[in-house]
Amino acid sequence: MTKSLLQQMPPRFKKPSLWTWLLSIFFLAFFLQGLLVSEISLERMIAGIGNMGRFLSSSFPPNLSRLPIILRAMIETFQMAIVGTVIGVLLSLPVALLISKNTTPHPLISSVLRSIVTLMRTIPDLVWALIFIISVGLGPLAGIFTIVIDTIAFCARFFSERIEEVDRGSLDAMSSTGAGKFGVYASMVIPVCFPSFVATSLFSVEKAVRSAVILGLVGAGGIGIELSTAMSLMKYDEAFTIILIIFMVVVVVEYTSGRIRKRFLL
Amino acid sequence: MTDRAIIEFQNVSKTYSSGTQALKNISFRAQEGEAIILLGHNGSGKSTLLRTLTQFEPVTNGTVIFQETNMQMLNKKQLRALRRKIGFVFQNFHLVENLSVFQNVLFGALGRLPLIFPSFAPLAAQSERMKAMACLDRVGLSHLAARRAGQLSGGQQQKVAIARMLMQDPEIVLADEPVASLDPKAGIEIMQLLLEIVREKKLTMICTLHQLDLAINYAERLIALRDGEIIMDRRNKDLNSAQLNWIYENAKIQTAKRGAQA
């Protein structure tokens, strides 16, 4: 009896397959090579701390002389984020309904759209910004387009994941009243998913505000261009003002969206 | 009660793509105004039978006829027009929990109204709003109209679902295990309410149940299913004690079998 139990007992360790071995070795080598490339060393770290101190000391006190211009750029950044997110969210909803397995009119439409959304997500937003700057020129429009793409890539996916959680029975309950596809969407799918849609959209506003700041660095409108100019002219006190303002706006946006989210996620 | 069959199943079989044969050669007619209880264990095919009537599940073989129309031959629009006449009550209510009770009932009008927006509470016609309140009043919940549906008890939610079903002006009622997720007291209340409504509006009803006692109390006609086949089809008043015993014995055997399998 005990003998057969021993035989049935799973071993402590399983022998990894050849593939696991090869992959582990490859990954380890890749990681070590990466560490070497970054030329990490104690002297550089110490020097870095010194440089950081010099940057901080030369940025105090923050230079407020260009505050009105900086504020206007910040407002532009925030507006880019809001306009881009709102348009993005509005477009995400139909895309999500077309993608989700339980609401799509045809599996083919679903898989085609799904790959387009994945493509949107896999290309980084800075690359999208560069593409839009080439097509519509420098300025906030390129930034807004980038944020729209970014928002669809993010929201369509999460909207659709939520929609797919709506069970068949709930959809049937509305179909059984004689409602058509759009009736079922409007009376069951969208209301049931609404709290989650709101939460996702608010995350995407937060994301968009941060990304709108960065987009300015490549000239897609907003405060980023001010920051990069101040940095390259070594006006660290002005750069510091800009960083403080960005920090405050991001904190306020995250706080507000957190509050709204709490109200909706009952 | 007229002799006209409002629902007719002719040799209906249903095999799911998984290979499970849920219905085997089912044939029966339901007269207008009849209240039928479909009795059977989980997996006996009774839910599938209801779902084939609304074409939520297409049948593999045979014909499903509702109001002299072959349900399999309809285009989308015709199917919707017929579904509108079939009220459906579910085990899990399927209300939108974060909307008001009133709004949930108003959605019952979706199939009747040509557009979607008049089913939304702020945009609905006063007559529809009144009708929704009347439906809620019929199930005794008009005082909870403004509450969120999710805040209600299970029994109350099922009543809201019944009010929503009334809102669509159905001609027949299908109820799929309407009391299975309720406590016994609420279950009896719901069964009584359903039967009262069905009788006062002279509706035809098919209701699935797995509890024998409830089935015998409320059935005018009892159809028992086992493994996708009809094993009994009797009017309740015809049931003598021998037959009742037979059903009980059968139920016991089934329970014992399932116990042995588990």
Side-chain angles (χ1 to χ4, degrees), chain A residues 167-184 186-195 266, chain B residues 51 54 56-57 76 80 83-84 86-88 90 93-99 107-108 110-112 116 120 148 164 168:
Chain A
D167 62 341
R168 170 87 195 268
S170 299
L171 303 179
D172 285 348
M174 293 327 293
S175 309
S176 76
T177 68
K181 242 185 186 58
F182 290 102
V184 177
S187 66
M188 184 55 77
V189 179
I190 295 173
V192 163
C193 302
F194 192 71
L266 301 153
Chain B
R51 295 172 60 80
T54 50
F56 288 143
E57 303 292 349
K76 268 187 186 164
R80 279 175 51 190
R83 275 184 184 164
R84 206 278 291 152
I86 305 176
F88 215 132
F90 299 84
F93 331 130
H94 295 308
L95 301 176
V96 184
E97 296 198 351
N98 46 355
L99 292 180
F107 280 148
L110 271 172
R112 273 194 292 115
I116 296 169
F120 282 87
R148 287 195 318 118
R164 178 176 68 187
Q168 81 186 65

Short mmCIF file of all heavy atoms in Angstrom, two decimals, chain A residues 167-184 186-195 266, chain B residues 51 54 56-57 76 80 83-84 86-88 90 93-99 107-108 110-112 116 120 148 164 168:
data_model
loop_
_atom_site.label_atom_id
_atom_site.label_comp_id
_atom_site.label_asym_id
_atom_site.label_seq_id
_atom_site.Cartn_x
_atom_site.Cartn_y
_atom_site.Cartn_z
N ASP A 167 -23.48 37.88 -19.84
CA ASP A 167 -23.80 36.51 -20.20
C ASP A 167 -24.90 36.43 -21.26
O ASP A 167 -25.67 37.37 -21.46
CB ASP A 167 -24.15 35.66 -18.97
CG ASP A 167 -25.39 36.20 -18.27
OD1 ASP A 167 -25.74 37.36 -18.50
OD2 ASP A 167 -25.99 35.44 -17.50
N ARG A 168 -24.91 35.29 -21.92
CA ARG A 168 -25.85 35.02 -22.99
C ARG A 168 -27.29 35.24 -22.51
O ARG A 168 -28.12 35.79 -23.23
CB ARG A 168 -25.64 33.56 -23.45
CG ARG A 168 -26.65 33.00 -24.39
CD ARG A 168 -26.29 33.33 -25.83
NE ARG A 168 -27.44 33.10 -26.69
CZ ARG A 168 -27.68 31.96 -27.33
NH1 ARG A 168 -26.84 30.96 -27.21
NH2 ARG A 168 -28.75 31.83 -28.09
N GLY A 169 -27.58 34.82 -21.29
CA GLY A 169 -28.93 34.93 -20.76
C GLY A 169 -29.43 36.37 -20.74
O GLY A 169 -30.58 36.63 -21.08
N SER A 170 -28.56 37.31 -20.33
CA SER A 170 -28.97 38.71 -20.28
C SER A 170 -29.30 39.23 -21.67
O SER A 170 -30.26 39.98 -21.85
CB SER A 170 -27.85 39.56 -19.67
OG SER A 170 -27.57 39.13 -18.37
N LEU A 171 -28.49 38.82 -22.66
CA LEU A 171 -28.77 39.26 -24.03
C LEU A 171 -30.09 38.65 -24.50
O LEU A 171 -30.93 39.33 -25.09
CB LEU A 171 -27.62 38.84 -24.96
CG LEU A 171 -26.24 39.36 -24.58
CD1 LEU A 171 -25.19 38.88 -25.57
CD2 LEU A 171 -26.22 40.88 -24.54
N ASP A 172 -30.27 37.35 -24.20
CA ASP A 172 -31.52 36.67 -24.60
C ASP A 172 -32.73 37.32 -23.94
O ASP A 172 -33.79 37.41 -24.55
CB ASP A 172 -31.46 35.19 -24.20
CG ASP A 172 -30.56 34.40 -25.12
OD1 ASP A 172 -30.17 34.95 -26.17
OD2 ASP A 172 -30.24 33.25 -24.79
N ALA A 173 -32.55 37.78 -22.68
CA ALA A 173 -33.68 38.37 -21.97
C ALA A 173 -34.20 39.58 -22.75
O ALA A 173 -35.42 39.77 -22.85
CB ALA A 173 -33.27 38.78 -20.56
N MET A 174 -33.30 40.37 -23.30
CA MET A 174 -33.77 41.53 -24.06
C MET A 174 -34.24 41.11 -25.45
O MET A 174 -35.23 41.64 -25.95
CB MET A 174 -32.68 42.60 -24.15
CG MET A 174 -32.33 43.26 -22.83
SD MET A 174 -33.64 43.46 -21.62
CE MET A 174 -34.70 44.63 -22.42
N SER A 175 -33.54 40.18 -26.09
CA SER A 175 -34.01 39.71 -27.41
C SER A 175 -35.41 39.15 -27.30
O SER A 175 -36.21 39.26 -28.23
CB SER A 175 -33.10 38.60 -27.96
OG SER A 175 -31.78 38.99 -27.94
N SER A 176 -35.72 38.53 -26.16
CA SER A 176 -37.02 37.88 -26.04
C SER A 176 -38.16 38.89 -25.94
O SER A 176 -39.32 38.53 -26.09
CB SER A 176 -37.05 36.93 -24.85
OG SER A 176 -37.16 37.66 -23.66
N THR A 177 -37.84 40.18 -25.70
CA THR A 177 -38.91 41.18 -25.76
C THR A 177 -39.20 41.57 -27.20
O THR A 177 -40.09 42.35 -27.48
CB THR A 177 -38.52 42.47 -25.00
OG1 THR A 177 -37.46 43.11 -25.72
CG2 THR A 177 -38.09 42.20 -23.60
N GLY A 178 -38.39 41.04 -28.13
CA GLY A 178 -38.54 41.40 -29.53
C GLY A 178 -37.61 42.52 -29.94
O GLY A 178 -37.69 43.03 -31.05
N ALA A 179 -36.71 42.92 -29.02
CA ALA A 179 -35.77 44.00 -29.33
C ALA A 179 -34.76 43.54 -30.37
O ALA A 179 -34.38 42.37 -30.40
CB ALA A 179 -35.05 44.44 -28.07
N GLY A 180 -34.34 44.46 -31.23
CA GLY A 180 -33.30 44.16 -32.21
C GLY A 180 -31.92 44.32 -31.58
O GLY A 180 -31.80 44.58 -30.39
N LYS A 181 -30.89 44.15 -32.43
CA LYS A 181 -29.51 44.24 -31.95
C LYS A 181 -29.26 45.53 -31.18
O LYS A 181 -28.76 45.52 -30.07
CB LYS A 181 -28.58 44.22 -33.17
CG LYS A 181 -27.65 43.06 -33.19
CD LYS A 181 -26.69 43.20 -34.35
CE LYS A 181 -25.82 41.98 -34.50
NZ LYS A 181 -26.49 40.72 -34.69
N PHE A 182 -29.66 46.66 -31.78
CA PHE A 182 -29.36 47.94 -31.15
C PHE A 182 -30.15 48.11 -29.86
O PHE A 182 -29.67 48.71 -28.91
CB PHE A 182 -29.63 49.09 -32.12
CG PHE A 182 -28.65 49.14 -33.25
CD1 PHE A 182 -28.99 48.68 -34.50
CD2 PHE A 182 -27.36 49.60 -33.04
CE1 PHE A 182 -28.07 48.69 -35.54
CE2 PHE A 182 -26.43 49.62 -34.06
CZ PHE A 182 -26.78 49.16 -35.32
N GLY A 183 -31.37 47.58 -29.86
CA GLY A 183 -32.18 47.61 -28.64
C GLY A 183 -31.48 46.86 -27.52
O GLY A 183 -31.44 47.33 -26.38
N VAL A 184 -30.92 45.69 -27.84
CA VAL A 184 -30.21 44.90 -26.83
C VAL A 184 -28.97 45.64 -26.35
O VAL A 184 -28.69 45.70 -25.15
CB VAL A 184 -29.83 43.51 -27.39
CG1 VAL A 184 -29.04 42.72 -26.35
CG2 VAL A 184 -31.07 42.73 -27.80
N ALA A 186 -28.51 48.89 -26.29
CA ALA A 186 -28.88 50.09 -25.54
C ALA A 186 -29.51 49.75 -24.20
O ALA A 186 -29.35 50.49 -23.24
CB ALA A 186 -29.83 50.96 -26.36
N SER A 187 -30.21 48.62 -24.12
CA SER A 187 -30.96 48.34 -22.90
C SER A 187 -30.23 47.40 -21.97
O SER A 187 -30.53 47.34 -20.79
CB SER A 187 -32.32 47.74 -23.25
OG SER A 187 -32.13 46.47 -23.82
N MET A 188 -29.28 46.65 -22.47
CA MET A 188 -28.61 45.68 -21.60
C MET A 188 -27.09 45.89 -21.61
O MET A 188 -26.50 46.21 -20.59
CB MET A 188 -28.98 44.25 -22.04
CG MET A 188 -28.44 43.14 -21.17
SD MET A 188 -28.84 43.23 -19.41
CE MET A 188 -30.53 42.70 -19.36
N VAL A 189 -26.47 45.75 -22.76
CA VAL A 189 -25.00 45.73 -22.80
C VAL A 189 -24.41 47.03 -22.25
O VAL A 189 -23.61 47.02 -21.32
CB VAL A 189 -24.51 45.51 -24.25
CG1 VAL A 189 -22.99 45.51 -24.29
CG2 VAL A 189 -25.05 44.20 -24.80
N ILE A 190 -24.85 48.17 -22.79
CA ILE A 190 -24.23 49.44 -22.39
C ILE A 190 -24.56 49.79 -20.94
O ILE A 190 -23.65 50.10 -20.17
CB ILE A 190 -24.61 50.57 -23.38
CG1 ILE A 190 -24.00 50.24 -24.75
CG2 ILE A 190 -24.11 51.92 -22.88
CD1 ILE A 190 -24.41 51.15 -25.86
N PRO A 191 -25.83 49.70 -20.50
CA PRO A 191 -26.09 50.02 -19.09
C PRO A 191 -25.34 49.11 -18.12
O PRO A 191 -24.81 49.59 -17.12
CB PRO A 191 -27.61 49.81 -18.93
CG PRO A 191 -28.16 49.81 -20.28
CD PRO A 191 -27.09 49.46 -21.24
N VAL A 192 -25.27 47.81 -18.43
CA VAL A 192 -24.60 46.89 -17.51
C VAL A 192 -23.11 47.20 -17.43
O VAL A 192 -22.50 47.15 -16.37
CB VAL A 192 -24.83 45.42 -17.97
CG1 VAL A 192 -23.83 44.50 -17.30
CG2 VAL A 192 -26.24 44.98 -17.63
N CYS A 193 -22.52 47.57 -18.56
CA CYS A 193 -21.07 47.80 -18.59
C CYS A 193 -20.70 49.23 -18.23
O CYS A 193 -19.52 49.55 -18.12
CB CYS A 193 -20.52 47.48 -19.97
SG CYS A 193 -20.82 45.81 -20.50
N PHE A 194 -21.70 50.10 -18.07
CA PHE A 194 -21.42 51.53 -17.95
C PHE A 194 -20.42 51.88 -16.85
O PHE A 194 -19.46 52.62 -17.10
CB PHE A 194 -22.74 52.30 -17.76
CG PHE A 194 -22.58 53.78 -17.90
CD1 PHE A 194 -22.34 54.34 -19.15
CD2 PHE A 194 -22.65 54.62 -16.82
CE1 PHE A 194 -22.17 55.70 -19.30
CE2 PHE A 194 -22.49 55.98 -16.95
CZ PHE A 194 -22.24 56.53 -18.20
N PRO A 195 -20.59 51.36 -15.62
CA PRO A 195 -19.62 51.73 -14.57
C PRO A 195 -18.19 51.39 -14.98
O PRO A 195 -17.28 52.19 -14.76
CB PRO A 195 -20.07 50.88 -13.37
CG PRO A 195 -21.50 50.59 -13.62
CD PRO A 195 -21.65 50.47 -15.11
N LEU A 266 -20.17 51.23 -7.75
CA LEU A 266 -20.98 51.08 -6.54
C LEU A 266 -20.80 49.70 -5.92
O LEU A 266 -20.50 48.76 -6.58
CB LEU A 266 -22.44 51.29 -6.90
CG LEU A 266 -22.70 52.66 -7.50
CD1 LEU A 266 -23.90 52.62 -8.41
CD2 LEU A 266 -22.92 53.68 -6.42
N ARG B 51 -36.16 27.21 -25.17
CA ARG B 51 -35.30 28.06 -25.99
C ARG B 51 -35.44 27.77 -27.48
O ARG B 51 -35.12 28.63 -28.30
CB ARG B 51 -33.84 27.93 -25.53
CG ARG B 51 -33.62 28.48 -24.10
CD ARG B 51 -32.24 28.18 -23.58
NE ARG B 51 -31.21 28.77 -24.42
CZ ARG B 51 -30.85 30.05 -24.35
NH1 ARG B 51 -31.40 30.83 -23.47
NH2 ARG B 51 -29.92 30.52 -25.14
N THR B 54 -38.36 30.10 -28.96
CA THR B 54 -38.01 31.46 -29.36
C THR B 54 -36.85 31.48 -30.35
O THR B 54 -36.34 32.53 -30.69
CB THR B 54 -37.58 32.29 -28.14
OG1 THR B 54 -36.62 31.54 -27.42
CG2 THR B 54 -38.76 32.61 -27.25
N PHE B 56 -33.85 30.72 -29.76
CA PHE B 56 -32.54 30.98 -29.18
C PHE B 56 -31.63 29.79 -29.48
O PHE B 56 -30.43 29.93 -29.58
CB PHE B 56 -32.63 31.19 -27.66
CG PHE B 56 -33.26 32.49 -27.27
CD1 PHE B 56 -34.08 32.58 -26.17
CD2 PHE B 56 -33.03 33.64 -28.03
CE1 PHE B 56 -34.65 33.79 -25.81
CE2 PHE B 56 -33.59 34.85 -27.67
CZ PHE B 56 -34.41 34.92 -26.56
N GLU B 57 -32.25 28.62 -29.58
CA GLU B 57 -31.53 27.44 -30.04
C GLU B 57 -32.26 26.90 -31.25
O GLU B 57 -33.43 26.51 -31.15
CB GLU B 57 -31.52 26.34 -28.96
CG GLU B 57 -30.94 26.74 -27.62
CD GLU B 57 -29.45 27.00 -27.68
OE1 GLU B 57 -28.82 26.67 -28.71
OE2 GLU B 57 -28.93 27.55 -26.70
N LYS B 76 -35.28 37.67 -39.85
CA LYS B 76 -35.00 38.31 -38.55
C LYS B 76 -36.17 39.17 -38.08
O LYS B 76 -36.54 39.14 -36.91
CB LYS B 76 -33.75 39.19 -38.66
CG LYS B 76 -32.49 38.45 -38.29
CD LYS B 76 -31.32 39.39 -38.26
CE LYS B 76 -30.01 38.63 -38.04
NZ LYS B 76 -28.84 39.40 -38.37
N ARG B 80 -38.47 38.64 -34.76
CA ARG B 80 -38.60 39.64 -33.69
C ARG B 80 -40.06 39.93 -33.39
O ARG B 80 -40.46 40.06 -32.23
CB ARG B 80 -37.88 40.93 -34.09
CG ARG B 80 -36.39 40.87 -33.87
CD ARG B 80 -35.73 42.12 -34.38
NE ARG B 80 -36.36 43.33 -33.87
CZ ARG B 80 -36.09 44.56 -34.31
NH1 ARG B 80 -35.22 44.72 -35.29
NH2 ARG B 80 -36.69 45.59 -33.78
N ARG B 83 -41.30 37.05 -31.37
CA ARG B 83 -40.71 37.02 -30.02
C ARG B 83 -41.40 38.03 -29.13
O ARG B 83 -41.52 37.83 -27.92
CB ARG B 83 -39.22 37.36 -30.10
CG ARG B 83 -38.35 36.17 -30.40
CD ARG B 83 -36.90 36.57 -30.37
NE ARG B 83 -36.04 35.47 -30.75
CZ ARG B 83 -34.78 35.61 -31.11
NH1 ARG B 83 -34.23 36.81 -31.13
NH2 ARG B 83 -34.06 34.56 -31.43
N ARG B 84 -41.82 39.15 -29.71
CA ARG B 84 -42.50 40.19 -28.95
C ARG B 84 -43.73 39.62 -28.24
O ARG B 84 -44.09 40.05 -27.15
CB ARG B 84 -42.90 41.31 -29.93
CG ARG B 84 -43.03 42.66 -29.31
CD ARG B 84 -44.36 42.87 -28.65
NE ARG B 84 -45.46 42.95 -29.61
CZ ARG B 84 -46.70 42.62 -29.32
NH1 ARG B 84 -47.01 42.13 -28.14
NH2 ARG B 84 -47.64 42.73 -30.23
N ILE B 86 -43.97 36.64 -27.09
CA ILE B 86 -43.59 35.57 -26.16
C ILE B 86 -42.87 36.18 -24.97
O ILE B 86 -41.74 36.62 -25.07
CB ILE B 86 -42.67 34.55 -26.86
CG1 ILE B 86 -43.34 34.01 -28.12
CG2 ILE B 86 -42.30 33.42 -25.90
CD1 ILE B 86 -42.46 33.08 -28.94
N GLY B 87 -43.56 36.25 -23.84
CA GLY B 87 -42.91 36.75 -22.63
C GLY B 87 -42.03 35.66 -22.05
O GLY B 87 -42.41 34.49 -22.03
N PHE B 88 -40.84 36.04 -21.59
CA PHE B 88 -39.89 35.04 -21.10
C PHE B 88 -39.44 35.46 -19.70
O PHE B 88 -39.00 36.58 -19.50
CB PHE B 88 -38.69 34.97 -22.04
CG PHE B 88 -38.10 33.59 -22.21
CD1 PHE B 88 -37.82 33.09 -23.47
CD2 PHE B 88 -37.80 32.80 -21.10
CE1 PHE B 88 -37.28 31.82 -23.64
CE2 PHE B 88 -37.26 31.53 -21.26
CZ PHE B 88 -37.00 31.05 -22.53
N PHE B 90 -36.86 34.33 -16.55
CA PHE B 90 -35.67 33.50 -16.40
C PHE B 90 -35.37 33.20 -14.94
O PHE B 90 -35.82 33.90 -14.03
CB PHE B 90 -34.45 34.23 -16.99
CG PHE B 90 -34.58 34.52 -18.45
CD1 PHE B 90 -35.25 35.66 -18.89
CD2 PHE B 90 -34.04 33.66 -19.40
CE1 PHE B 90 -35.38 35.93 -20.24
CE2 PHE B 90 -34.16 33.94 -20.75
CZ PHE B 90 -34.84 35.07 -21.17
N PHE B 93 -33.38 36.27 -13.47
CA PHE B 93 -34.06 37.57 -13.63
C PHE B 93 -33.53 38.39 -14.81
O PHE B 93 -34.30 38.94 -15.57
CB PHE B 93 -33.97 38.43 -12.35
CG PHE B 93 -33.90 37.66 -11.06
CD1 PHE B 93 -32.93 37.95 -10.11
CD2 PHE B 93 -34.78 36.61 -10.81
CE1 PHE B 93 -32.85 37.23 -8.93
CE2 PHE B 93 -34.72 35.88 -9.63
CZ PHE B 93 -33.75 36.19 -8.70
N HIS B 94 -32.19 38.52 -14.91
CA HIS B 94 -31.58 39.31 -15.98
C HIS B 94 -32.11 40.73 -16.05
O HIS B 94 -32.52 41.22 -17.10
CB HIS B 94 -31.74 38.61 -17.33
CG HIS B 94 -31.01 37.31 -17.38
ND1 HIS B 94 -29.68 37.19 -17.05
CD2 HIS B 94 -31.42 36.07 -17.69
CE1 HIS B 94 -29.31 35.93 -17.18
NE2 HIS B 94 -30.35 35.22 -17.54
N LEU B 95 -32.09 41.40 -14.90
CA LEU B 95 -32.39 42.84 -14.88
C LEU B 95 -31.07 43.59 -15.01
O LEU B 95 -30.00 43.02 -14.80
CB LEU B 95 -33.06 43.22 -13.56
CG LEU B 95 -34.35 42.50 -13.22
CD1 LEU B 95 -34.83 42.92 -11.84
CD2 LEU B 95 -35.43 42.79 -14.26
N VAL B 96 -31.16 44.87 -15.37
CA VAL B 96 -29.97 45.72 -15.32
C VAL B 96 -29.91 46.28 -13.91
O VAL B 96 -30.67 47.16 -13.55
CB VAL B 96 -30.04 46.85 -16.35
CG1 VAL B 96 -28.74 47.64 -16.34
CG2 VAL B 96 -30.31 46.30 -17.73
N GLU B 97 -28.96 45.75 -13.11
CA GLU B 97 -29.01 46.02 -11.67
C GLU B 97 -28.71 47.47 -11.33
O GLU B 97 -29.16 47.97 -10.31
CB GLU B 97 -28.04 45.09 -10.94
CG GLU B 97 -28.44 43.64 -11.08
CD GLU B 97 -27.79 42.77 -10.03
OE1 GLU B 97 -26.90 43.27 -9.33
OE2 GLU B 97 -28.17 41.59 -9.94
N ASN B 98 -27.93 48.16 -12.17
CA ASN B 98 -27.59 49.54 -11.82
C ASN B 98 -28.58 50.56 -12.40
O ASN B 98 -28.34 51.75 -12.35
CB ASN B 98 -26.15 49.89 -12.20
CG ASN B 98 -25.81 49.43 -13.59
OD1 ASN B 98 -26.62 48.78 -14.25
ND2 ASN B 98 -24.63 49.78 -14.08
N LEU B 99 -29.69 50.08 -12.96
CA LEU B 99 -30.74 51.02 -13.40
C LEU B 99 -31.95 50.87 -12.47
O LEU B 99 -32.08 49.89 -11.73
CB LEU B 99 -31.15 50.73 -14.84
CG LEU B 99 -30.09 51.05 -15.91
CD1 LEU B 99 -30.64 50.73 -17.29
CD2 LEU B 99 -29.64 52.49 -15.84
N PHE B 107 -38.07 48.85 -20.41
CA PHE B 107 -37.36 48.15 -21.48
C PHE B 107 -38.20 47.01 -22.07
O PHE B 107 -37.94 46.55 -23.16
CB PHE B 107 -36.02 47.61 -20.98
CG PHE B 107 -34.93 48.64 -20.92
CD1 PHE B 107 -33.94 48.58 -19.95
CD2 PHE B 107 -34.89 49.68 -21.83
CE1 PHE B 107 -32.94 49.53 -19.89
CE2 PHE B 107 -33.88 50.64 -21.78
CZ PHE B 107 -32.91 50.56 -20.80
N GLY B 108 -39.22 46.57 -21.33
CA GLY B 108 -40.11 45.55 -21.88
C GLY B 108 -40.83 46.02 -23.13
O GLY B 108 -41.31 45.21 -23.92
N LEU B 110 -39.44 47.58 -25.60
CA LEU B 110 -38.51 47.69 -26.73
C LEU B 110 -39.02 47.03 -28.01
O LEU B 110 -38.89 47.57 -29.10
CB LEU B 110 -37.17 47.06 -26.36
CG LEU B 110 -36.15 47.97 -25.70
CD1 LEU B 110 -34.96 47.15 -25.22
CD2 LEU B 110 -35.69 49.04 -26.67
N GLY B 111 -39.61 45.84 -27.85
CA GLY B 111 -40.06 45.11 -29.03
C GLY B 111 -41.32 45.70 -29.65
O GLY B 111 -41.56 45.57 -30.84
N ARG B 112 -42.15 46.35 -28.81
CA ARG B 112 -43.41 46.90 -29.31
C ARG B 112 -43.20 48.22 -30.03
O ARG B 112 -43.92 48.55 -30.97
CB ARG B 112 -44.34 47.17 -28.13
CG ARG B 112 -45.20 46.02 -27.70
CD ARG B 112 -46.31 46.49 -26.78
NE ARG B 112 -45.83 46.95 -25.48
CZ ARG B 112 -45.94 48.20 -25.06
NH1 ARG B 112 -46.48 49.14 -25.82
NH2 ARG B 112 -45.50 48.54 -23.87
N ILE B 116 -35.81 52.87 -30.45
CA ILE B 116 -35.24 52.49 -29.16
C ILE B 116 -35.47 53.56 -28.11
O ILE B 116 -35.85 53.26 -26.98
CB ILE B 116 -33.73 52.22 -29.30
CG1 ILE B 116 -33.51 51.02 -30.23
CG2 ILE B 116 -33.10 51.93 -27.95
CD1 ILE B 116 -32.07 50.84 -30.64
N PHE B 120 -36.61 54.66 -23.10
CA PHE B 120 -35.81 55.23 -22.02
C PHE B 120 -36.68 56.17 -21.19
O PHE B 120 -37.39 57.02 -21.74
CB PHE B 120 -34.59 55.95 -22.58
CG PHE B 120 -33.51 54.99 -22.97
CD1 PHE B 120 -33.49 54.42 -24.24
CD2 PHE B 120 -32.54 54.60 -22.06
CE1 PHE B 120 -32.52 53.50 -24.59
CE2 PHE B 120 -31.57 53.69 -22.41
CZ PHE B 120 -31.56 53.14 -23.67
N ARG B 148 -32.93 51.25 -7.31
CA ARG B 148 -32.08 50.51 -8.24
C ARG B 148 -32.43 49.03 -8.13
O ARG B 148 -32.60 48.50 -7.03
CB ARG B 148 -30.60 50.71 -7.91
CG ARG B 148 -30.09 52.09 -8.29
CD ARG B 148 -28.58 52.16 -8.30
NE ARG B 148 -27.99 51.45 -7.18
CZ ARG B 148 -27.19 50.40 -7.31
NH1 ARG B 148 -26.87 49.96 -8.50
NH2 ARG B 148 -26.70 49.81 -6.26
N ARG B 164 -41.72 43.47 -16.34
CA ARG B 164 -41.11 43.78 -17.64
C ARG B 164 -41.73 42.91 -18.73
O ARG B 164 -41.99 43.36 -19.84
CB ARG B 164 -39.59 43.54 -17.57
CG ARG B 164 -38.87 43.78 -18.89
CD ARG B 164 -37.38 43.62 -18.75
NE ARG B 164 -37.01 42.23 -18.48
CZ ARG B 164 -35.77 41.83 -18.18
NH1 ARG B 164 -34.79 42.72 -18.10
NH2 ARG B 164 -35.51 40.57 -17.94
N GLN B 168 -44.43 43.97 -22.31
CA GLN B 168 -44.36 43.68 -23.74
C GLN B 168 -45.67 43.14 -24.30
O GLN B 168 -45.74 42.78 -25.47
CB GLN B 168 -43.17 42.76 -24.04
CG GLN B 168 -43.39 41.28 -23.80
CD GLN B 168 -42.12 40.47 -24.00
OE1 GLN B 168 -41.14 40.61 -23.28
NE2 GLN B 168 -42.11 39.61 -25.01
#
